[in-house]
Amino acid sequence: MAAGVSTDIRGGMNRPPRATRWARTIDGRALTVLALALLVITSFGSLFIGVSDVTPLDVLRLDNSDHQTRVFIESRVPRLMAILLSGSAMSVSGLIMQTLVRNRFVAPSTAGTVSSASLGLVVASIWFGSASIFLKMSIAVLFAMVGTLVFLALVQRMKHADIIVVPLIGIMFGGVVQATATFFAFKYDLLQSLNAWINGDFSGTLRGRYELLYLVGALTAVTYLFANRFTLVGMGREFAINLGVHFERVLYGGLCLVSLVSAVVVVVVGSIPFLGLVVPNLVTMAMGDNLRRVLPATAISGAFFVLVCDILSRTIRYPYEVPVGSIVGVGGGLVFIILVLRSRSVGN
Amino acid sequence: MIEIDRVTKRYGTTTVVDDVSLTIPPGGVTALVGANGAGKSTLLSIIGRTLRPEAGTVRVDGLDVAKTPGATLARRLSILRQENQVAVRITVRELVEFGRFPYSGGRLTREDLDHVDRAIEYLQLEQFANRPLDRLSGGQRQRAFIAMVLCQDTDYMLLDEPLNNLDMRHAAQTMTLIRQMAKDLQKTIVVVIHDINFAAFHADRIVAMKDGRIVADGSPQSIITPGTLKDVFEIDVPVHEVAGRPLAVYFA
Ligand SMILES: Nc1ncnc2c1ncn2[C@@H]1O[C@H](COP(=O)(O)OP(=O)(O)OP(=O)(O)O)[C@@H](O)[C@H]1O
Ligand SMILES: [Mg+2]
């Protein structure tokens, strides 16, 4: 078609394409595979860090009555799985939230998810005190999900708000909910258990308490199937509709999905501050915003980031543990401030 | 065929598209002209189903655009918007590849890739293919969006001011490309143009809008006359004949 056009309209400038930071990416796929390999190696190593000395040989003996083997199966493996699953789930949730809401500073920690989960836990403890732990968790998940959706619905209504104002409102919204939770926790003497629960910490991860995270892992994997749709929705309503994407369905379906995922992680593991904010921002800064391309990298980086922080938390004050949330908080907070300053100076 | 039947769009109490009916037969380039705020973009968005009218229906090939599944329509009808600002950091190539989304859902086939390459070549974007959209000039970005719509390869194309930001050469080449697609591939193209002379040169038909209504409709020769231009734009424009075509000299 139109063959005559292309011959005479070719310009004279044949200078090579100017390489850009992420367009020239040393083949995104190779990088992702490399990161994955690094993650696997580090994961393997982390299995053998801890108060009880467990060596690979102990595990190979595969003797169930053996203390070392039991520590390994009851504690080390669950802990590792919890770290990997929650790290990737939180980062991916943050990435998708940011894409759908079209704001780089929205994430579970700035969207009221964590504080709503706290409120849910308090409510569950006060009124359903005798219920099973699973039911209590479900109530908290429900609260977290509803809280997140309320905030996101709020954001949808103020499309032209300043990019920084949106997360600020989220933090304020979270503050109000948190204050309510604290008030009731104080009144019913639940403050300590609430704090213990909500602070991100993997030391309590044992078999029988973290399996919900496998559901989260599955849901995170499912998001990959919708990666293109999420990107298109992020490019705007008209743009998405033109390409046959059901805009509202993808937007609200996606937001429900990531609210659910982050709610479960917060309830099972506790809050890991800034994770959903910092990891996706760093990855997209390097690789662009095409979710199909950055989603796997984000999942891997998130898992790796939490894994490293967890190893630090176990070794800094060995044989004691510092809550992983504190470690992530310090590092993540710094990066977050840098990101905000950068976005201000670039004017985006 | 595009059949627009008594379409009305209001914002509050102001009617911006007022009971418009229009039929556009398959094949050919139709230019939509009119003053700022005449309702051109609004009408185009309604045809392209991104905007719901208060009344009336639009059918494309007999399919009601308000009721047909979006995925089906995306393979028949594409729309290029007037404003194409995106904050999303993707490359030109990734953008153009999205044009194939209605067909492949993202897993590009050999054929899809051929379409992508061809679209990039037609718009001379080879040297920018791997560059992020936010590091292009306004005209280069506009060409990337045109390439994406081209890549969507639909029978009906609605282009809202495709020549925005384009230099003389690229504007002329883009219009030539549009005309050839209509001629060689039987595409039906509706294009909003402000430069009436481009419409005169490349369109088969000109439809003029004013205050939400269609006030003139016909061949370039019949529309580009001092009388009609005065009706539509409310200025006096001398019209000369150059190379057998009307040329409106509207610069002063
Ligand atoms: N969201 C809106 N709310 C209120 N009025 C609107 C809205 N969008 C458009 N309008 C009004 O509708 C009228 C038609 O707008 P439209 O964009 O269709 O004009 P146009 O013919 O494409 O103009 P231009 O040549 O400037 O692109 C204008 O008067 C505009 O002010
Ligand atoms: Mg317009």
Side-chain angles (χ1 to χ4, degrees):
Chain A
M1 84 180 176
V5 185
S6 56
T7 46
D8 59 334
I9 55 184
R10 208 167 284 254
M13 310 179 300
N14 259 337
R15 69 192 157 96
R18 206 189 74 193
T20 56
R21 222 179 327 152
W22 53 272
R24 116 199 103 169
T25 342
I26 330 137
D27 193 324
R29 197 167 292 176
L31 206 68
T32 309
V33 171
L34 204 73
L36 191 62
L38 192 63
L39 179 65
V40 170
I41 294 169
T42 318
S43 300
F44 187 75
S46 85
L47 286 173
F48 302 99
I49 300 175
V51 178
S52 299
D53 248 328
V54 182
T55 65
L57 267 181
D58 296 326
V59 181
L60 279 178
R61 266 189 271 127
L62 272 179
D63 180 356
N64 247 337
S65 57
D66 187 37
H67 171 71
Q68 266 82 5
T69 313
R70 284 236 316 280
V71 166
F72 191 80
I73 292 177
E74 301 279 326
S75 157
R76 297 281 168 85
V77 172
R79 180 173 192 144
L80 175 63
M81 291 318 291
I83 288 167
L84 299 182
L85 289 169
S86 55
S88 51
M90 278 313 232
S91 308
V92 167
S93 298
L95 175 66
I96 294 173
M97 258 190 212
Q98 285 145 31
T99 304
L100 293 179
V101 178
R102 303 169 83 176
N103 187 311
R104 297 193 202 292
F105 295 118
V106 173
S109 45
T110 57
T113 314
V114 177
S115 40
S116 304
S118 313
L119 185 61
L121 283 175
V122 172
V123 167
S125 310
I126 297 174
W127 283 287
F128 301 89
S130 55
S132 69
I133 183 123
F134 186 77
L135 185 67
K136 282 190 202 166
M137 281 178 154
S138 307
I139 292 170
V141 167
L142 195 70
F143 267 74
M145 206 175 142
V146 171
T148 313
L149 286 176
V150 166
F151 169 70
L152 294 173
L154 217 72
V155 173
Q156 286 305 112
R157 295 182 150 265
M158 17 177 263
K159 285 203 177 73
H160 302 293
D162 187 288
I163 184 160
I164 306 294
V165 169
V166 170
L168 280 183
I169 287 178
I171 290 168
M172 284 181 333
F173 169 72
V176 172
V177 177
Q178 189 69 55
T180 316
T182 309
F183 172 76
F184 283 108
F186 194 69
K187 200 167 155 193
Y188 291 90
D189 204 18
L190 292 165
L191 212 47
Q192 229 171 359
S193 57
L194 177 68
N195 281 340
W197 194 322
I198 224 67
N199 263 333
D201 187 4
F202 292 102
S203 61
T205 316
L206 294 172
R207 238 165 65 166
R209 271 200 59 183
Y210 81 104
E211 280 77 3
L212 258 185
L213 290 180
Y214 282 109
L215 172 73
V216 162
L219 291 178
T220 306
V222 164
T223 60
Y224 186 66
L225 300 178
F226 297 97
N228 270 325
R229 285 184 179 78
F230 292 149
T231 310
L232 293 176
V233 164
M235 294 194 62
R237 182 174 172 277
E238 286 79 11
F239 189 90
I241 292 178
N242 172 46
L243 291 174
V245 174
H246 202 299
F247 181 79
E248 274 80 19
R249 204 180 287 169
V250 173
L251 175 64
Y252 291 107
L255 290 179
C256 284
L257 188 66
V258 295
S259 308
L260 174 65
V261 167
S262 36
V264 173
V265 173
V266 167
V267 170
V268 174
V269 175
S271 102
I272 310 173
F274 300 111
L275 180 61
L277 201 63
V278 166
V279 172
N281 268 293
L282 290 178
V283 173
T284 53
M285 215 182 264
M287 294 176 71
D289 289 329
N290 190 347
L291 284 203
R292 188 143 188 129
R293 195 155 60 131
V294 295
L295 216 141
T298 305
I300 294 170
S301 312
F304 187 70
F305 183 63
V306 177
L307 184 60
V308 169
C309 288
D310 182 69
I311 291 177
L312 279 180
S313 83
R314 281 193 271 171
T315 45
I316 282 186
R317 285 189 60 212
Y318 189 84
Y320 302 103
E321 275 197 30
V322 183
V324 70
S326 315
I327 306 268
V328 180
V330 172
L334 283 175
V335 180
F336 178 53
I337 290 170
I338 293 169
L339 287 176
V340 170
L341 292 178
R342 257 184 66 113
S343 88
R344 268 295 146 105
S345 63
V346 174
N348 178 13
Chain B
M1 185 155 67
I2 300 177
E3 298 157 283
I4 302 164
D5 187 28
R6 309 204 61 178
V7 164
T8 297
K9 176 73 199 175
R10 290 187 203 94
Y11 286 111
T13 52
T14 40
T15 305
V16 297
V17 171
D18 191 359
D19 199 24
V20 166
S21 296
L22 179 71
T23 300
I24 302 169
V29 178
T30 301
L32 196 54
V33 303
N36 288 147
K40 308 178 296 292
S41 297
T42 307
L43 183 61
L44 225 56
S45 300
I46 292 170
I47 304 174
R49 74 182 174 306
T50 54
L51 197 65
R52 277 281 164 97
E54 262 72 49
T57 54
V58 176
R59 284 173 198 284
V60 173
D61 272 350
L63 302 172
D64 185 336
V65 295
K67 298 194 181 118
T68 309
T72 311
L73 274 178
R75 282 184 232 129
R76 302 206 179 201
L77 173 77
S78 55
I79 177 164
L80 172 76
R81 290 191 307 142
Q82 182 173 354
E83 304 286 343
N84 288 301
Q85 284 295 345
V86 288
V88 175
R89 295 164 296 189
I90 58 172
T91 63
V92 171
R93 198 179 169 87
E94 286 175 319
L95 177 76
V96 178
E97 283 176 357
F98 279 139
R100 299 308 294 173
F101 182 80
Y103 300 90
S104 56
R107 300 191 139 270
L108 299 179
T109 62
R110 189 64 250 162
E111 193 197 337
D112 291 327
L113 290 173
D114 287 343
H115 276 282
V116 172
D117 288 336
R118 221 175 310 148
I120 287 178
E121 188 187 321
Y122 282 153
L123 277 299
Q124 297 158 48
L125 292 163
E126 294 99 332
Q127 70 197 87
F128 311 115
N130 292 320
R131 200 186 287 187
L133 289 178
D134 59 0
R135 294 184 205 167
L136 293 177
S137 76
Q140 290 161 350
R141 194 175 312 123
Q142 177 74 2
R143 275 152 57 202
F145 277 91
I146 296 174
M148 191 208 84
V149 171
L150 214 65
C151 204
Q152 206 175 333
D153 192 31
T154 52
D155 286 344
Y156 296 88
M157 300 170 77
L158 313 170
L159 309 174
D160 199 347
E161 302 193 25
L163 306 186
N164 263 352
N165 295 321
L166 296 196
D167 61 40
M168 245 192 300
R169 187 182 78 167
H170 286 106
Q173 284 164 356
T174 300
M175 283 313 293
T176 306
L177 186 62
I178 288 171
R179 190 157 51 117
Q180 288 194 352
M181 284 195 299
K183 190 158 149 269
D184 301 345
L185 303 169
Q186 310 303 319
K187 297 206 186 272
T188 312
I189 301 169
V190 182
V191 49
V192 176
I193 299 187
H194 277 299
D195 187 332
I196 196 90
N197 293 322
F198 263 115
F201 208 85
H202 293 283
D204 302 306
R205 175 185 178 187
I206 296 180
V207 174
M209 287 186 76
K210 187 179 182 183
D211 300 333
R213 292 168 175 276
I214 292 173
V215 291
D217 180 358
S219 66
Q221 271 78 9
S222 66
I223 302 292
I224 301 182
T225 62
T228 312
L229 292 181
K230 172 97 183 159
D231 287 346
V232 176
F233 294 100
E234 295 174 357
I235 51 165
D236 291 306
V237 182
V239 175
H240 301 277
E241 188 164 305
V242 175
R245 292 172 195 268
L247 181 78
V249 183
Y250 56 78
F251 305 104

